[in-house]
Amino acid sequence: RELARSDVVVLQEYEEPRSDLLAWWALARRLPVLASFQGGIPPWRPAPVEERVRRASVRRLAGVLVGSSDEADRVRSAYDLDPARVHRVVNPVDTAVWVPRDRQTARARLGLSPTARVVAWHGRVDVRRKGLDVLVEAWRQVCTALPDADLELLLVGAGADEPELRDLLAGVRGVQWLAEYASADQVAERLAACDLWVSASRHEGLAVAPLEAMASGRAVVVSDAPGARDVVGSTGEHGGTLVPCESSEALATAVLDALADPEGLQGRGRAARRRVEEAFSVPAVGRQLAAAVAAACGDRG
């Protein structure tokens, strides 16, 4: 009843049975339905009957809301959708919460040296998906290249693969791991303390963690997983560096290059903050969503 009173319905996940049902229910009522999917290319394949139903139901949606350009390309191809019905609506970041903070104050609270070279990562501890094996190996290479440097790797996160990550970290120097589902303030303090944020993910939809680091005024080095180019650009223009997936050597080289240029890191951090304000802040994403809703309502005739 509440849905029938609406002008438009926005549903999460267009590759789920509830989206199929709502698409057909709304069709007879001329009620536009927009459905989103932020998780990147799904790892599953539906049963043949479900796949046929899904193709028909997605084509009856008023539009889909997609975070990354990779997913936009996939969904247009998979469902033969009119590009005008595929709307880019990214994950928002609250730029009033994720802000640049004083580095030395954060380091003092965390017991870090004012002159240390500090790299950070935060997220779910899923070794394969998040590329944590690649990240740890890259950090080993950084430590080998700078044997006398005061180096710190700050990890924040929990998950099913914690035992595997502990094994990977055995014998690795300069690592502080907050192995819990940390609060935003705990993450923000470590972002403030770091010089650089890194990720070696193999698979993402449109990752929020690098955006939080960028909003905090920190340059990032990220693997070229789905959605990464939408976040940092392809040529470093937004304070980020892309490296090939699965390459610990490329990641280590990019980290070493970044740490060797402290002034450049500061400039890249400012560029990263501007990128988030312009494209991923709540007002920016609100405008993206408003445009998609307007297009869907306009299709009602």
Side-chain angles (χ1 to χ4, degrees), residues 96-154:
V97 172
W98 301 98
V99 298
R101 301 187 184 190
D102 183 71
R103 180 180 279 107
Q104 297 307 333
T105 299
R107 290 191 177 192
R109 288 175 178 168
L110 294 172
L112 299 172
S113 166
T115 59
R117 303 178 191 183
V118 183
V119 175
W121 171 88
H122 67 287
R124 185 174 71 255
V125 178
D126 180 336
V127 168
R128 178 69 188 173
R129 184 182 180 105
K130 298 296 184 180
L132 292 171
D133 52 336
V134 178
L135 174 55
V136 172
E137 177 55 32
W139 185 249
R140 288 183 186 273
Q141 295 173 32
V142 169
C143 292
T144 298
L146 300 172
D148 299 320
D150 185 357
L151 298 171
E152 298 283 352
L153 175 62
L154 307 181

Side-chain angles (χ1 to χ4, degrees), residues 144-282:
T144 298
L146 300 172
D148 299 320
D150 185 357
L151 298 171
E152 298 283 352
L153 175 62
L154 307 181
L155 304 178
V156 185
D161 290 348
E162 289 179 40
E164 184 177 354
L165 180 56
R166 287 193 182 93
D167 289 343
L168 289 169
L169 291 171
V172 180
R173 73 177 172 100
V175 178
Q176 290 191 24
W177 176 18
L178 180 62
E180 61 185 66
Y181 291 100
S183 68
D185 193 61
Q186 288 174 308
V187 174
E189 188 163 59
R190 284 154 179 82
L191 293 177
C194 78
D195 300 295
L196 179 71
W197 189 91
V198 297
S199 170
S201 287
R202 292 179 171 93
H203 176 66
E204 294 284 355
L206 196 149
V208 172
L211 293 170
E212 292 169 345
M214 293 165 68
S216 301
R218 296 299 178 259
V220 301
V221 174
V222 297
S223 59
D224 197 4
R229 291 173 183 260
D230 298 296
V231 172
V232 304
S234 57
T235 59
E237 65 269 32
H238 301 308
T241 300
L242 283 174
V243 298
C245 286
E246 304 275 3
S247 177
S248 59
E249 294 82 4
L251 183 60
T253 297
V255 169
L256 288 166
D257 289 346
L259 294 179
D261 183 14
E263 289 187 8
L265 275 178
Q266 292 181 20
R268 288 170 57 190
R270 291 189 292 269
R273 171 71 186 187
R274 289 194 299 271
R275 170 65 169 166
V276 175
E277 290 175 335
E278 292 169 359
F280 296 93
S281 63
V282 173

Side-chain angles (χ1 to χ4, degrees), residues 33-56:
V33 176
L34 292 163
S36 69
F37 184 70
Q38 298 293 331
I41 299 173
W44 65 89
R45 182 175 179 82
V49 172
E50 184 181 347
E51 191 169 20
R52 288 194 293 273
V53 170
R54 177 83 18 85
R55 181 176 174 83

Side-chain angles (χ1 to χ4, degrees), residues 1-9 22 25 31:
R1 186 165 55 186
E2 292 302 320
L3 291 178
R5 294 173 180 172
S6 305
D7 295 315
V8 62
V9 175
L22 188 55
W25 176 86
L31 177 65

